[in-house]
Amino acid sequence: MISLFQISFITVSWIDVIDILLVSVIIYKLYKLLRGSVAVKVFIGILLIYAFYLIVKASGMELLRNILGQFMGVGVLAAFILFQQEIRKFLQMIGKSTSQNNNLIKDWFSKTKPNSKAELNLSPIIDSVKIFSQTNTGALIVFSKTSELRFYAESGDILDAEISKRLLISIFQKNSPLHDGAVILTGGRIKAARCILPVSENDNIPAHMGLRHRAAIGLTEVTDAVVLVVSEETGGVSIAYNGEVYYNMNKSDIRSKLRSFIYDDDEQIAHEVKNIRYESAS
């Protein structure tokens, strides 16, 4: 093994440097994922105990080392139990990145663009959203992309219906048994209604945002879906994508932004709307 440099009796190689960098990145990602939740305190506590265990082991304290060693062995199983939700979110993030990378590789070798898939008819969706906005009817509409969001669809009622203005209005009527939750659109059809979405735990989300916006952001943090939100309090229309929320949407804006995010056919629009993220509607 080729050594990079030597400090006293310790020889450092390129493998050691890469090893340290990878561990640092993993710890930083875990801390960023857990930050703002109660789990971060438990995570820091486990790190401190492990650091103390390494010091005891290096000092040759056999009795204390054996006791802490038994604790660390059980601690791995306890960590999976305590952090099951965080671990699941972490794996979803990895899966999202892997899926996006696979799609990118396919695009390089494919003769046709991925946008050659069937065109989604946005007109009935936008028309219904306009009515929701005028009547202050809360709505949550999810547009799936590379994933069918089967797990989230199965949390609600499967419809597999054709998209229509009347059906969307019926679903989100306040007296409808399906209005509480999200509608998931897949393959140009309404796949399910009354679906439960994961709520974001991001501390940077403004306090005035309600549960619908937090659920929309939460889903886009772990998937590549696009979520359209209509506020029940203000009637304002927002779009969530890639963990960000975009305000001040009028009818023309909704169409252009949805096309941009769903089909990835206009990256310039995506860059422009980032200037208004997390700002209150005027």
Side-chain angles (χ1 to χ4, degrees), residues 201-222:
E201 297 180 1
N202 190 342
D203 292 336
N204 296 324
I205 298 177
H208 64 80
M209 280 190 173
L211 189 60
R212 282 191 180 88
H213 288 86
R214 291 180 178 272
I217 297 171
L219 181 66
T220 61
E221 286 175 340
V222 296

Side-chain angles (χ1 to χ4, degrees), residues 163-273:
I163 298 175
S164 70
K165 173 182 173 182
R166 291 181 179 179
L167 180 55
L168 288 172
I169 293 175
S170 298
I171 290 174
F172 287 110
Q173 277 185 351
K174 296 180 181 180
N175 295 327
S176 169
L178 299 176
H179 85 281
D180 190 14
V183 162
I184 295 180
L185 308 182
T186 301
R189 296 178 65 83
I190 299 178
K191 183 169 186 177
R194 204 175 59 85
C195 300
I196 300 173
L197 306 184
V199 179
S200 176
E201 297 180 1
N202 190 342
D203 292 336
N204 296 324
I205 298 177
H208 64 80
M209 280 190 173
L211 189 60
R212 282 191 180 88
H213 288 86
R214 291 180 178 272
I217 297 171
L219 181 66
T220 61
E221 286 175 340
V222 296
T223 71
D224 63 349
V226 182
V227 185
L228 191 150
V229 188
V230 180
S231 172
E232 187 174 354
E233 290 76 20
T234 65
V237 181
S238 309
I239 294 178
Y241 179 63
N242 199 26
E244 307 286 351
V245 62
Y246 307 91
Y247 284 109
N248 301 322
M249 300 285 112
N250 55 40
K251 189 173 181 179
S252 60
D253 287 338
I254 295 171
R255 184 180 296 275
S256 62
K257 304 306 187 287
L258 286 178
R259 289 187 59 86
S260 169
F261 294 142
I262 294 173
Y263 299 106
D264 300 318
D265 59 356
D266 192 354
E267 294 183 1
Q268 182 62 33
I269 295 177
H271 288 301
E272 290 176 357
V273 295

Side-chain angles (χ1 to χ4, degrees), residues 17 48 116 147 207:
V17 173
L48 292 176
S116 59
S147 171

Side-chain angles (χ1 to χ4, degrees), residues 35 51 65 71 104 140-141 192 267:
R35 185 179 57 187
R65 182 183 71 84
F71 176 79
L104 183 60
L140 197 58
I141 303 175
E267 294 183 1

Side-chain angles (χ1 to χ4, degrees), residues 2 16 61 68 75 106 138 185 206 221 239 260:
I2 301 176
D16 297 323
M61 302 178 186
L68 289 176
K106 289 179 182 178
L185 308 182
E221 286 175 340
I239 294 178
S260 169

Side-chain angles (χ1 to χ4, degrees), residues 47-182:
L47 287 182
L48 292 176
I49 293 175
Y50 183 68
F52 181 64
Y53 168 74
L54 294 179
I55 295 173
V56 169
K57 184 178 179 181
S59 303
M61 302 178 186
E62 292 299 324
L63 180 59
L64 192 55
R65 182 183 71 84
N66 290 331
I67 295 174
L68 289 176
Q70 294 295 326
F71 176 79
M72 294 304 299
V74 179
V76 174
L77 179 60
F80 276 100
I81 296 174
L82 291 172
F83 299 122
Q84 55 180 323
Q85 293 183 353
E86 286 75 14
I87 291 173
R88 179 179 175 181
K89 186 182 293 186
F90 182 68
L91 294 176
Q92 286 176 325
M93 291 172 59
I94 295 176
K96 177 185 175 182
S97 301
T98 304
S99 176
Q100 290 176 342
N101 291 335
N102 289 338
N103 290 332
L104 183 60
I105 294 174
K106 289 179 182 178
D107 294 346
W108 288 345
F109 292 98
S110 176
K111 294 182 181 179
T112 59
K113 290 186 177 182
N115 297 339
S116 59
K117 59 185 178 182
E119 186 82 5
L120 175 64
N121 184 12
L122 296 177
S123 295
I125 301 170
I126 296 174
D127 291 342
S128 61
V129 167
K130 183 179 179 181
I131 294 176
F132 296 152
S133 178
Q134 293 172 346
T135 58
N136 283 25
T137 302
L140 197 58
I141 303 175
V142 179
F143 300 83
S144 65
K145 292 180 65 177
T146 58
S147 171
E148 294 184 0
L149 306 176
R150 183 175 301 175
F151 173 80
Y152 302 105
E154 291 176 351
S155 68
D157 296 324
I158 302 298
L159 299 181
D160 191 23
E162 184 178 349
I163 298 175
S164 70
K165 173 182 173 182
R166 291 181 179 179
L167 180 55
L168 288 172
I169 293 175
S170 298
I171 290 174
F172 287 110
Q173 277 185 351
K174 296 180 181 180
N175 295 327
S176 169
L178 299 176
H179 85 281
D180 190 14

